[in-house]
Amino acid sequence: MTGLLVVTAVPAEAEAVRAGLTDPTVTVAPVGVGAAVAGAATARLLALAEAAGRPYRAVVSAGIAGGFVERVAVGDTVLATRSVAADLGAESPDGFLPLEALGMPADLLGVGSAVPADPGLLDALRTALPAATVGVVLTVNTVTGSAASTAALAARHPDAVAEAMEGYGVAVAAAQAGLPFAELRTVSNPIGPRDRASWRMREAFAALSAAAVALR
Protein backbone atom coordinates (compact mmCIF):
# COMPACT_ATOMS: atom_id res chain seq x y z
CA MET A 1 0.00 0.00 0.00
CA THR A 2 1.26 3.47 -0.88
CA GLY A 3 0.53 6.76 0.85
CA LEU A 4 -1.68 9.70 0.07
CA LEU A 5 -2.74 10.78 -3.44
CA VAL A 6 -3.06 14.56 -3.79
CA VAL A 7 -4.83 15.70 -6.95
CA THR A 8 -4.55 19.25 -8.30
CA ALA A 9 -5.95 20.86 -11.43
CA VAL A 10 -2.84 22.53 -12.86
CA PRO A 11 0.95 22.04 -12.56
CA ALA A 12 1.43 25.32 -10.66
CA GLU A 13 -0.79 23.99 -7.86
CA ALA A 14 1.10 20.69 -7.84
CA GLU A 15 4.42 22.53 -7.60
CA ALA A 16 3.13 24.60 -4.68
CA VAL A 17 2.01 21.46 -2.85
CA ARG A 18 5.31 19.67 -3.49
CA ALA A 19 7.22 22.68 -2.19
CA GLY A 20 5.67 22.21 1.24
CA LEU A 21 5.65 18.42 1.49
CA THR A 22 7.68 16.64 4.15
CA ASP A 23 6.36 13.12 3.53
CA PRO A 24 7.99 11.28 0.58
CA THR A 25 5.12 8.78 0.38
CA VAL A 26 2.70 11.49 -0.81
CA THR A 27 2.02 11.49 -4.56
CA VAL A 28 0.98 14.78 -6.20
CA ALA A 29 -0.66 14.68 -9.63
CA PRO A 30 -2.00 17.58 -11.74
CA VAL A 31 -4.89 16.18 -13.78
CA GLY A 32 -6.65 19.09 -15.51
CA VAL A 33 -9.41 21.60 -14.90
CA GLY A 34 -13.02 20.66 -14.18
CA ALA A 35 -14.88 17.96 -12.30
CA ALA A 36 -15.19 15.57 -15.27
CA VAL A 37 -11.49 15.37 -16.14
CA ALA A 38 -10.48 15.41 -12.47
CA GLY A 39 -12.83 12.55 -11.65
CA ALA A 40 -11.79 10.47 -14.66
CA ALA A 41 -8.07 11.03 -14.11
CA THR A 42 -8.30 10.32 -10.38
CA ALA A 43 -10.20 7.10 -11.04
CA ARG A 44 -7.50 6.03 -13.50
CA LEU A 45 -4.68 6.77 -11.05
CA LEU A 46 -6.45 4.82 -8.31
CA ALA A 47 -7.17 1.88 -10.60
CA LEU A 48 -3.57 1.71 -11.85
CA ALA A 49 -2.21 1.81 -8.30
CA GLU A 50 -4.60 -0.92 -7.20
CA ALA A 51 -3.74 -3.10 -10.21
CA ALA A 52 -0.04 -2.72 -9.41
CA GLY A 53 -0.64 -3.92 -5.86
CA ARG A 54 0.15 -0.50 -4.37
CA PRO A 55 -3.26 1.08 -3.64
CA TYR A 56 -3.45 4.53 -2.13
CA ARG A 57 -4.70 5.01 1.43
CA ALA A 58 -6.61 8.27 0.85
CA VAL A 59 -7.23 11.03 -1.68
CA VAL A 60 -7.09 14.82 -1.28
CA SER A 61 -8.25 17.39 -3.81
CA ALA A 62 -5.99 20.43 -3.36
CA GLY A 63 -5.48 23.78 -5.04
CA ILE A 64 -6.58 27.39 -5.05
CA ALA A 65 -10.14 28.66 -4.94
CA GLY A 66 -12.39 31.68 -4.88
CA GLY A 67 -13.66 32.62 -1.44
CA PHE A 68 -17.02 34.00 -0.35
CA VAL A 69 -16.59 37.54 0.94
CA GLU A 70 -17.13 37.90 4.70
CA ARG A 71 -16.72 34.14 5.11
CA VAL A 72 -13.02 33.81 4.21
CA ALA A 73 -10.23 36.20 3.21
CA VAL A 74 -7.75 36.06 0.35
CA GLY A 75 -4.79 33.94 1.46
CA ASP A 76 -6.86 31.86 3.90
CA THR A 77 -6.73 28.07 3.97
CA VAL A 78 -10.01 26.18 3.66
CA LEU A 79 -10.91 22.59 4.55
CA ALA A 80 -14.13 21.17 3.13
CA THR A 81 -16.70 19.52 5.35
CA ARG A 82 -18.20 18.31 2.10
CA SER A 83 -17.65 18.90 -1.61
CA VAL A 84 -20.85 19.92 -3.38
CA ALA A 85 -21.67 19.83 -7.09
CA ALA A 86 -23.30 23.26 -6.93
CA ASP A 87 -24.66 23.38 -10.50
CA LEU A 88 -25.49 19.70 -11.03
CA GLY A 89 -29.27 19.63 -11.29
CA ALA A 90 -32.03 21.51 -13.08
CA GLU A 91 -33.50 24.96 -13.31
CA SER A 92 -37.14 25.49 -12.39
CA PRO A 93 -39.52 28.45 -12.05
CA ASP A 94 -38.94 28.21 -8.29
CA GLY A 95 -35.15 28.16 -8.60
CA PHE A 96 -32.36 25.62 -8.86
CA LEU A 97 -33.14 21.95 -8.11
CA PRO A 98 -30.28 19.64 -7.04
CA LEU A 99 -30.20 15.98 -8.00
CA GLU A 100 -31.85 14.94 -4.76
CA ALA A 101 -34.91 17.04 -5.56
CA LEU A 102 -35.11 15.31 -8.93
CA GLY A 103 -34.95 11.84 -7.40
CA MET A 104 -31.75 10.93 -9.26
CA PRO A 105 -28.46 9.68 -7.74
CA ALA A 106 -25.22 10.97 -9.25
CA ASP A 107 -23.92 7.40 -9.57
CA LEU A 108 -24.82 3.85 -8.66
CA LEU A 109 -23.38 4.32 -5.18
CA GLY A 110 -26.03 6.93 -4.55
CA VAL A 111 -23.42 9.58 -3.77
CA GLY A 112 -25.73 12.43 -4.68
CA SER A 113 -24.63 16.00 -5.26
CA ALA A 114 -22.56 16.29 -2.06
CA VAL A 115 -19.73 14.11 -0.82
CA PRO A 116 -18.70 14.54 2.84
CA ALA A 117 -15.06 14.60 3.79
CA ASP A 118 -13.84 11.56 5.66
CA PRO A 119 -14.18 12.46 9.37
CA GLY A 120 -10.82 11.01 10.40
CA LEU A 121 -8.94 12.63 7.55
CA LEU A 122 -10.67 15.97 8.11
CA ASP A 123 -9.91 15.85 11.84
CA ALA A 124 -6.25 15.16 11.13
CA LEU A 125 -6.05 18.10 8.74
CA ARG A 126 -7.88 20.39 11.19
CA THR A 127 -5.43 19.46 13.92
CA ALA A 128 -2.47 20.16 11.67
CA LEU A 129 -4.01 23.39 10.31
CA PRO A 130 -5.80 24.99 13.28
CA ALA A 131 -6.14 28.37 11.56
CA ALA A 132 -7.96 26.90 8.54
CA THR A 133 -11.59 27.79 7.88
CA VAL A 134 -13.82 24.71 7.78
CA GLY A 135 -16.96 24.71 5.64
CA VAL A 136 -18.56 23.58 2.41
CA VAL A 137 -16.52 23.91 -0.78
CA LEU A 138 -18.60 24.16 -3.96
CA THR A 139 -17.60 22.56 -7.24
CA VAL A 140 -18.81 24.56 -10.25
CA ASN A 141 -18.47 24.16 -14.00
CA THR A 142 -18.70 27.90 -14.56
CA VAL A 143 -16.82 30.05 -12.06
CA THR A 144 -19.00 32.76 -10.51
CA GLY A 145 -18.34 36.15 -12.11
CA SER A 146 -21.22 38.51 -11.39
CA ALA A 147 -22.91 40.03 -8.36
CA ALA A 148 -26.22 38.34 -9.20
CA SER A 149 -24.79 34.84 -9.55
CA THR A 150 -22.71 35.30 -6.41
CA ALA A 151 -25.75 36.34 -4.39
CA ALA A 152 -27.78 33.40 -5.71
CA LEU A 153 -25.03 30.90 -4.93
CA ALA A 154 -24.42 32.33 -1.46
CA ALA A 155 -28.14 32.18 -0.66
CA ARG A 156 -28.42 28.59 -1.89
CA HIS A 157 -25.37 27.52 0.11
CA PRO A 158 -25.19 29.60 3.30
CA ASP A 159 -22.53 27.32 4.76
CA ALA A 160 -20.23 27.47 1.70
CA VAL A 161 -16.87 29.19 2.10
CA ALA A 162 -15.25 28.70 -1.30
CA GLU A 163 -15.77 27.52 -4.87
CA ALA A 164 -13.46 25.57 -7.16
CA MET A 165 -13.87 23.26 -10.15
CA GLU A 166 -12.58 19.78 -9.28
CA GLY A 167 -13.36 18.66 -5.72
CA TYR A 168 -16.64 16.87 -6.36
CA GLY A 169 -15.19 14.88 -9.27
CA VAL A 170 -12.23 13.75 -7.19
CA ALA A 171 -14.56 12.94 -4.29
CA VAL A 172 -16.76 10.68 -6.42
CA ALA A 173 -13.68 8.83 -7.73
CA ALA A 174 -12.49 8.28 -4.16
CA ALA A 175 -15.96 7.10 -3.10
CA GLN A 176 -16.03 4.61 -5.99
CA ALA A 177 -12.69 3.24 -4.79
CA GLY A 178 -13.83 3.11 -1.16
CA LEU A 179 -11.12 5.53 -0.03
CA PRO A 180 -11.17 8.42 2.45
CA PHE A 181 -11.40 11.85 0.80
CA ALA A 182 -10.78 15.45 1.78
CA GLU A 183 -10.51 18.79 -0.01
CA LEU A 184 -7.97 21.49 0.87
CA ARG A 185 -7.98 24.92 -0.78
CA THR A 186 -6.31 28.29 -0.37
CA VAL A 187 -8.13 31.44 -1.40
CA SER A 188 -6.73 33.44 -4.32
CA ASN A 189 -9.62 35.83 -4.95
CA PRO A 190 -13.01 36.91 -3.65
CA ILE A 191 -16.02 35.40 -5.41
CA GLY A 192 -17.97 38.04 -7.29
CA PRO A 193 -17.67 40.25 -10.37
CA ARG A 194 -14.63 39.04 -12.29
CA ASP A 195 -11.71 41.35 -11.46
CA ARG A 196 -8.25 39.94 -12.18
CA ALA A 197 -6.65 42.88 -10.38
CA SER A 198 -8.06 41.56 -7.10
CA TRP A 199 -6.52 38.11 -7.50
CA ARG A 200 -3.55 37.27 -5.28
CA MET A 201 -2.10 34.14 -6.87
CA ARG A 202 1.32 34.43 -5.22
CA GLU A 203 -0.23 34.63 -1.76
CA ALA A 204 -2.53 31.68 -2.48
CA PHE A 205 0.31 29.50 -3.76
CA ALA A 206 2.46 30.39 -0.76
CA ALA A 207 -0.42 29.47 1.54
CA LEU A 208 -0.86 26.19 -0.34
CA SER A 209 2.81 25.32 0.20
CA ALA A 210 2.46 26.13 3.90
CA ALA A 211 -0.67 23.99 4.20
CA ALA A 212 0.97 21.07 2.38
CA VAL A 213 2.95 20.29 5.52
CA ALA A 214 -0.29 18.77 6.83
CA LEU A 215 -0.44 16.26 3.96
CA ARG A 216 1.19 13.16 5.39
Side-chain angles (χ1 to χ4, degrees), residues 105-188:
D107 67 358
L108 295 181
L109 292 179
V111 167
S113 60
V115 181
D118 176 77
L121 186 53
L122 178 58
D123 284 347
L125 290 172
R126 292 181 72 170
T127 299
L129 300 168
T133 299
V134 180
V136 171
V137 176
L138 305 180
T139 299
V140 294
N141 290 296
T142 301
V143 173
T144 308
S146 70
S149 59
T150 300
L153 200 61
R156 212 160 67 227
H157 300 280
D159 50 357
V161 294
E163 72 167 16
M165 302 183 77
E166 294 80 31
Y168 176 78
V170 178
V172 171
Q176 289 276 355
L179 292 176
F181 163 81
E183 183 170 3
L184 182 156
R185 298 280 173 179
T186 56
V187 178
S188 59

Side-chain angles (χ1 to χ4, degrees), residues 16 186 201-211:
T186 56
M201 305 295 286
R202 182 177 299 178
E203 290 90 335
F205 284 132
L208 189 58
S209 294

Side-chain angles (χ1 to χ4, degrees), residues 41-154:
T42 300
R44 181 175 184 273
L45 290 170
L46 296 177
L48 288 173
E50 185 174 355
R54 299 189 301 275
Y56 289 102
R57 292 175 175 163
V59 184
V60 173
S61 176
I64 61 174
F68 283 90
V69 176
E70 299 183 358
R71 300 180 187 177
V72 291
V74 171
D76 281 359
T77 297
V78 169
L79 297 172
T81 54
R82 62 185 188 276
S83 300
V84 176
D87 51 13
L88 183 61
E91 291 184 336
S92 80
D94 297 320
F96 179 80
L97 299 174
L99 288 181
E100 289 77 7
L102 300 173
M104 295 188 295
D107 67 358
L108 295 181
L109 292 179
V111 167
S113 60
V115 181
D118 176 77
L121 186 53
L122 178 58
D123 284 347
L125 290 172
R126 292 181 72 170
T127 299
L129 300 168
T133 299
V134 180
V136 171
V137 176
L138 305 180
T139 299
V140 294
N141 290 296
T142 301
V143 173
T144 308
S146 70
S149 59
T150 300
L153 200 61

